[in-house]
């Protein structure tokens, strides 16, 4: 299955600042997915990053707040803009992998704390 | 309506015993996939097991097996011979359709604690 490197693994940020999370995959993939997990909650899909086109955002998430880049088939970034304490979460990138791409493989996650 | 329901917020099991984590799902799509993931305190999501809606047999992966009851729309995870390292959050998830679009909907999770 694909190996995903995600960084930073954790960070403490100040309110009003922005942070960019990087996701690197060891193989070429068409789609990369960004999830958010708020404290004590389940995972929620933020957006799907497609190479060569704009990311597709889920309901409740907007590009101005979570801009995404996908410059090639192995890399993507998610920026959390103008952060507030409510943005304190684990952010995870993921890709389809395995036979028939049936399995979603996740990076180790980026744990952000906003003060 | 919730698409994935995990009714057990927490479960306790003694080491070496088996434990079942419940998951029910709701979909009208005849083609779907069901997944279980483990999330240790470190935060990473570890894939455990997958069951396709058309699979005739229950999926198994080592100590993990999925008790798939299609008519009841349940996909319970069975962990045999529990180990201390099994203590973690466990999430059930579903992918609807067969477009190759890997968008998963997750349940709220069950925290499993394995005691010596």
């Amino acid at each position: 299955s694909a190996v995903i490197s995600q960084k930073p693994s954790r960070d403490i940020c100040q309110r009003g600042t922005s942070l960019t999370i990087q996701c690197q995959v060891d193989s070429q993939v068409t789609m990369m997915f960004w999830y958010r997990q708020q404290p004590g909650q389940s995972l929620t899909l933020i957006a799907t990053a497609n190479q060569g086109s704009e990311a597709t955002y889920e309901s409740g998430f907007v590009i101005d707040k979570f801009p995404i880049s996908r410059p090639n088939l192995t890399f993507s970034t998610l920026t959390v803009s103008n952060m507030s304490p409510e943005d304190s979460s684990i952010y995870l990138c993921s890709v389809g992998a395995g036979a028939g791409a049936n399995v979603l493989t996740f990076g180790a996650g980026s744990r952000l704390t906003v003060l | 309506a919730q698409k994935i329901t995990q009714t057990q917020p927490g479960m306790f099991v003694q080491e070496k015993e088996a434990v079942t984590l419940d998951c029910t799902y709701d979909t009208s799509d005849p083609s779907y996939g069901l997944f279980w993931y483990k999330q240790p305190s470190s935060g990473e999501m570890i894939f455990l097991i997958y069951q396709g809606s058309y699979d005739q047999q229950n999926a198994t992966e080592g100590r993990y097996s999925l008790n798939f009851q299609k008519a009841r729309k349940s996909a319970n995870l069975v962990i045999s011979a529990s180990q201390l390292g099994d203590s973690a959050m466990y999430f059930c998830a579903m992918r609807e359709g067969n477009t190759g679009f890997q968008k998963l909907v997750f349940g709220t999770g069950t925290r499993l604690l394995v005691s010596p």
Side-chain angles (χ1 to χ4, degrees):
Chain A
S1 60
V3 176
I4 303 173
S5 301
Q6 195 174 331
K7 58 181 181 182
S9 58
R10 58 177 63 230
D11 207 339
I12 299 173
C13 308
Q14 296 299 317
R15 182 195 300 259
T17 63
S18 299
L19 183 80
T20 296
I21 301 167
Q22 299 180 7
C23 182
Q24 178 77 51
V25 188
D26 68 345
S27 58
Q28 294 185 338
V29 293
T30 305
M31 296 180 181
M32 296 175 74
F33 304 89
W34 287 98
Y35 283 82
R36 180 178 75 179
Q37 186 181 26
Q38 294 177 301
Q41 304 295 315
S42 187
L43 280 75
T44 302
L45 181 65
I46 298 171
T48 303
N50 307 294
Q51 197 272 331
S53 63
E54 292 290 327
T56 304
Y57 289 83
E58 297 299 308
S59 176
F61 298 96
V62 295
I63 188 171
D64 289 346
K65 176 67 175 177
F66 298 101
I68 288 172
S69 77
R70 185 79 200 274
N72 57 53
L73 290 174
T74 64
F75 186 78
S76 178
T77 67
L78 169 76
T79 299
V80 186
S81 303
N82 188 24
M83 286 186 285
S84 66
E86 292 71 35
D87 294 319
S88 297
S89 299
I90 300 175
Y91 293 86
L92 301 109
C93 72
S94 61
V95 302
N102 268 333
V103 175
L104 203 62
T105 299
F106 286 84
S110 298
R111 189 185 296 264
L112 302 188
T113 301
V114 184
L115 303 178
Chain B
Q2 291 285 344
K3 286 187 174 288
I4 293 286
T5 302
Q6 295 181 254
T7 58
Q8 306 156 315
M11 288 287 286
F12 294 89
V13 66
Q14 207 153 16
E15 199 177 7
K16 300 180 184 177
E17 292 187 347
V19 63
T20 298
L21 306 183
D22 294 342
C23 173
T24 58
Y25 59 92
D26 182 28
T27 180
S28 58
D29 197 319
S31 176
Y32 53 90
L34 297 159
F35 303 76
W36 277 92
Y37 285 86
K38 171 185 177 181
Q39 187 179 43
S41 56
S42 58
E44 61 185 312
M45 292 289 286
I46 302 169
F47 165 75
L48 296 178
I49 197 166
Y50 166 80
Q51 179 87 41
S53 60
Y54 294 120
D55 294 342
Q56 295 296 314
Q57 293 189 324
N58 287 346
T60 60
E61 289 286 350
R63 294 187 298 111
Y64 305 107
S65 61
L66 200 151
N67 185 2
F68 182 44
Q69 298 190 39
K70 199 169 183 177
R72 295 185 179 182
K73 293 189 175 179
S74 74
N76 298 339
L77 176 70
V78 180
I79 305 175
S80 63
S82 297
Q83 302 172 356
L84 296 178
D86 293 335
S87 293
M89 283 290 290
Y90 288 81
F91 290 95
C92 180
M94 178 174 65
R95 168 181 56 83
E96 290 180 295
N98 192 29
T99 62
F101 195 68
Q102 298 297 322
K103 188 164 86 170
L104 295 186
V105 176
F106 285 83
T108 52
T110 296
R111 183 173 297 279
L112 176 66
L113 183 60
V114 181
S115 59

